[in-house]
Amino acid sequence: MSPLQALVGVCCALIFAAPALADPGDVNDDAGFLATVRSAGITYSGSAQAITFGKAVCGWMRDGKAGPEMVQELQKNNPGLTTDHATLFIAISAKYYCPQQLSGSQSPPAR
């Protein structure tokens, strides 16, 4: 298991333990994604931007970007985002937009 998968796994355990405001079963459920982000205490200035960054997380994961790199990228583009909130945002994004990344069903990128 990669360090990123472990990090996301821990965050997802925390997210799944919290009461959900929407059903995350639909990976394209933007409203559910936004509700879960809000319920985690993460604020954002615009829904479209939050969704865009949420979906970008999946591309970063597919490209093999490490967890700390993703956190730094989010914080660079969202200066008020704490490390904890960035980590939770990554986990929520993966849960809603690319759950296959969490299950390990996809092969890691060739190096």
Side-chain angles (χ1 to χ4, degrees):
M1 178 182 293
S2 74
L4 171 60
Q5 288 173 323
L7 174 70
V8 172
V10 169
C11 291
C12 283
L14 293 172
I15 292 166
F16 290 129
L21 296 177
D23 180 13
D26 180 7
V27 296
N28 294 313
D29 183 6
D30 294 338
F33 168 75
L34 294 171
T36 303
V37 168
R38 280 191 306 274
S39 73
I42 302 168
T43 58
Y44 51 86
S45 58
S47 299
Q49 182 182 22
I51 291 166
T52 298
F53 276 111
K55 292 178 179 180
V57 165
C58 296
W60 298 339
M61 291 175 82
R62 272 190 309 276
D63 292 344
K65 191 173 268 199
E69 289 178 278
M70 290 191 284
V71 168
Q72 289 175 352
E73 185 71 27
L74 284 170
Q75 289 178 310
K76 179 177 79 174
N77 290 292
N78 303 281
L81 196 61
T82 67
T83 300
D84 288 344
H85 279 169
T87 303
L88 280 172
F89 186 88
I90 290 166
I92 294 167
S93 299
K95 174 182 165 186
Y96 275 87
Y97 296 121
C98 50
Q100 71 280 4
Q101 297 285 351
L102 298 177
S103 69
S105 63
Q106 207 169 20
S107 301
R111 294 191 184 214

